[in-house]
Amino acid sequence: MTGEFTPWPEADARRYRESGIWRGIGFATVLSELARRYGEHTAVVDARGPVGYAALARRSERVAAGLAARGLRPGDIAVVQARNDADYVVLLFAAFRLGVIPVCALPAHREREIGYFLDHTGAAAYLHPGEDDHRRIAASTAREVRLVTTVAEAAASSGPVDALPPPPGGGDLALLQLSGGSTGVPKLIPRTHDDYLYSVRVAAEVCEIDDRTVYLCALPAAHNFPLSSPGILGVLSVGGTVVMAPDPSPDTCFDLMDDAGVTMTAVVPALAQAWLTAARTRGRRPGSLRVLQVGGARLDAAHAAQVAPVLGCRVQQVFGMAEGLVCYTRLDAPDAVAHHTQGRPASPYDEIRIVDDRDRDVPDGHSGHLLARGPYTVRGYFRAAAHNPVAFTPDGYYRTGDLVRRTETGDLVVTGRAKDQINRGGEKIAAPEVEELLRGHPDIHDAAVIAVPDPVLGERSCAVCVAAPDRDPTGKQIRRHLRELGVAAYKIPDLVRFVPHLPRTAVGKIDKKRLKEDLSR
Ligand code: J2J
């Protein structure tokens, strides 16, 4: 896999190893340790019941051997698209054991995204949830993919464990996360066992979780937030219990929280609002819940302040990114910090800079571009040699595209965004990706996709289009066109507007700032 992603410079890697934050082992080795320590204690629960630590270790090893028997080899890539259930966790650890690298696709992804992941990675497997849509995607891919089956079927496979190769080490790739993106094609984020394990361990420390923690996985499990901040992997790393919610609705989740005695969960702001409303209107609060993590998009201070009185638990803001850096408000933070800031980096080894347009540090209290590097922030995207010099500074900082300001308490406040992205209730849409598809429509001459404010989602997407000469397309036709291309539903513009021409900046780029102002009038 070397050459496909940018490793940490040797001096930094040595420092992380010598300080013990990179342990040199992989998730499979950690799971064996956990199985010895926590034995029958419940690791994961779903609708089919509990799975203990020892059983999870045994099962994932058998599945690893099963995948090997079906032709998968260490270093192979598997696009995995799953529901929130225990099979997903088993499969993830099976992949970690065999050294197969999962691409963390989301349930919402369709032909376009999945096809791209398969092509770009040269994946050996596509493991999917098994609904009609996914079977169609599987049938439509032009690539030769060795193993195409459902996650459930893959998680039921088994083989001789004695024949398994040794488990991967710390420096090997663990998984490929997905970037929110701000370019024409999605970017894949290569996370190593060392770095991802450290990120979940440090998250577990910051979030003060232990083997009594019961975590509800309400968001799509493959997302970096519920997977690692501390999420499924962080909770398992301390012997806690993970409850998989099949959907994030208050009806489903409030019942599950009561039944399982859930102490902690993670939501996006739009979902936090829905839960607050449900709790208020039904006079019901999840009795065992201690911490509600909210992240993925900016949380309104007013909503943050309602969490304690309405849901009866503490709110923890989480500002993170699948590329690495995650900031948390600490559990003992005063309300002024917990409600009004997005917290501070998880690790003392995190390095951040806040800079102006020319990469010069801005004074504290001023807003600037956030740059990040450290032991769990990647140094480059997977197979993206041309894009990496744009997304990372020469000295290895990731350009987050976020605008932040540091408060007197040392916490960060997200003040805006410089990247060309729409944050639709926590789902990220790379505007150029959708614009390219729109421009491919014969009736469209030019297009810009921008964010418009939305009371529930925070932002929605609006496609502003210039029709081709003598053409008169409708918004409905445009949206249908995108659906037919097999684009994930959340990327299809909520609104389509037509204009005679798009405003341009002095250098000829579409002036989105002006477009937004024009549109709001
Ligand atoms: C404002 N913007 C936020 C927040 C993320 C933990 C939590 C979230 C993610 C995530 C994650 C925000 N307030 N609290 O991976 O481990 C926006 C920023 C950021 C982008 C990253 C995790 N929390 N954001 O959301 O890779 O713009 O990760 O750069 O999906 O979401 O998106 P993503």
Side-chain angles (χ1 to χ4, degrees):
M1 273 306 138
T2 36
E4 314 231 275
F5 71 99
T6 320
W8 280 260
E10 187 44 40
D12 291 311
R14 194 176 327 113
R15 186 159 58 96
Y16 299 148
R17 280 193 294 266
E18 283 172 4
S19 61
I21 63 172
W22 282 6
R23 294 177 57 199
I25 56 174
F27 276 97
T29 309
V30 170
L31 182 60
S32 309
E33 293 172 5
L34 291 165
R36 276 193 293 277
R37 183 144 176 220
Y38 296 105
E40 303 312 308
H41 185 56
T42 301
V44 192
V45 191
D46 70 4
R48 286 180 306 174
V51 182
Y53 274 87
L56 176 63
R58 267 196 317 271
R59 244 187 93 188
S60 59
E61 200 162 50
R62 265 205 318 272
V63 175
L67 296 176
R70 298 170 81 172
L72 296 191
R73 298 280 166 268
D76 279 347
I77 290 172
V79 175
V80 182
Q81 193 184 20
R83 290 199 197 91
N84 282 16
D85 59 21
D87 281 345
Y88 180 59
V89 181
V90 169
L91 193 67
L92 209 51
F93 276 98
F96 291 156
R97 172 63 186 84
L98 183 57
V100 164
I101 301 150
V103 176
C104 296
L106 297 173
H109 286 140
R110 288 296 170 267
E111 284 95 325
R112 251 202 101 76
E113 292 88 9
I114 300 293
Y116 175 78
F117 300 147
L118 293 171
D119 285 344
H120 185 62
T121 64
Y126 171 42
L127 308 177
H128 60 79
E131 280 151 29
D132 289 350
D133 259 15
H134 308 110
R135 293 187 191 277
R136 207 183 53 240
I137 297 172
S140 74
T141 168
R143 269 202 69 255
E144 196 68 22
V145 180
R146 241 176 289 150
L147 179 63
V148 178
T149 186
T150 63
V151 168
E153 203 268 342
S157 55
S158 105
V161 290
D162 313 341
L164 277 172
D172 292 318
L173 274 192
L175 49 80
L176 289 163
Q177 259 299 354
L178 305 188
S179 166
S182 52
T183 61
V185 290
K187 296 287 177 292
L188 295 170
I189 305 165
R191 305 290 304 255
T192 64
H193 286 269
D194 268 338
D195 99 71
Y196 216 55
L197 265 166
Y198 175 59
S199 86
V200 308
R201 277 206 319 277
V202 76
E205 242 171 71
V206 165
C207 299
E208 303 176 29
I209 56 173
D210 58 29
D211 56 0
R212 290 161 302 180
T213 299
V214 182
Y215 174 87
L216 183 77
C217 181
L219 296 172
H223 193 284
N224 199 55
F225 183 15
L227 191 58
S228 70
S229 300
I232 298 172
L233 296 174
V235 170
L236 293 179
S237 78
V238 293
T241 297
V242 175
V243 181
M244 302 298 278
D247 72 80
S249 68
D251 282 337
T252 303
C253 289
F254 285 21
D255 283 350
L256 277 175
M257 288 198 273
D258 283 347
D259 290 350
V262 166
T263 61
M264 176 186 193
T265 186
V267 296
V268 291
L271 195 53
Q273 272 196 64
W275 285 18
L276 284 167
T277 306
R280 243 191 259 103
T281 51
R282 292 169 212 178
R284 178 173 177 193
R285 51 164 73 177
S288 52
L289 195 63
R290 299 225 189 91
V291 177
L292 180 73
Q293 295 186 297
V294 189
R298 179 70 193 271
L299 175 66
D300 237 39
H303 294 140
Q306 288 166 26
V307 170
V310 177
L311 292 171
C313 66
R314 210 185 300 259
V315 64
Q316 177 178 49
Q317 296 209 39
V318 187
F319 161 46
M321 52 212 70
E323 284 82 357
L325 178 73
V326 186
C327 301
Y328 301 82
T329 55
R330 301 311 197 250
L331 296 183
D332 59 0
D335 285 353
V337 170
H339 297 174
H340 294 271
T341 83
Q342 281 64 60
R344 59 182 73 175
S347 163
Y349 291 87
D350 283 318
E351 301 170 70
I352 62 169
R353 289 181 63 201
I354 303 173
V355 301
D356 65 14
D357 287 341
R358 293 164 65 188
D359 283 354
R360 294 171 304 199
D361 294 288
V362 301
D364 258 0
H366 289 253
S367 184
H369 302 275
L370 175 66
L371 309 182
R373 106 185 151 178
Y376 64 96
T377 299
V378 297
R379 297 298 182 112
Y381 290 110
F382 180 74
R383 290 188 188 161
H387 182 62
N388 282 339
V390 180
F392 295 83
T393 66
D395 56 351
Y397 281 89
Y398 166 55
R399 297 185 187 277
T400 67
D402 292 312
L403 299 174
V404 304
R405 150 176 87 72
R406 203 191 328 246
T407 66
E408 281 150 25
T409 56
D411 295 284
L412 300 182
V413 173
V414 180
T415 55
R417 185 174 58 221
K419 56 189 162 190
D420 200 2
Q421 188 181 80
I422 292 108
N423 190 334
R424 189 181 186 278
E427 304 271 27
K428 315 304 182 316
I429 304 166
E433 188 185 340
V434 183
E435 287 161 2
E436 224 163 82
L437 299 175
L438 290 169
R439 287 190 202 111
H441 189 287
D443 292 350
I444 290 185
H445 168 66
D446 204 357
V449 176
I450 57 173
V452 292
D454 181 83
V456 176
L457 294 170
E459 295 176 8
R460 286 195 299 165
S461 71
C462 177
V464 188
C465 305
V466 179
D470 303 323
R471 300 291 179 147
D472 191 18
T474 65
K476 210 166 158 192
Q477 285 165 349
I478 300 306
R479 289 164 46 88
R480 190 184 335 120
H481 169 71
L482 291 177
R483 259 195 306 277
E484 283 167 3
L485 286 177
V487 178
Y490 68 86
K491 293 184 190 168
I492 296 183
D494 296 292
L495 302 166
V496 182
R497 294 279 176 273
F498 292 93
V499 293
H501 56 86
L502 294 168
R504 301 262 165 192
T505 64
V507 292
K509 277 177 48 175
I510 295 173
D511 189 344
K512 292 198 170 176
K513 199 164 157 242
R514 232 188 86 199
L515 198 54
K516 277 180 206 167
E517 287 163 9
D518 292 352
L519 217 71
S520 69
R521 260 188 258 118

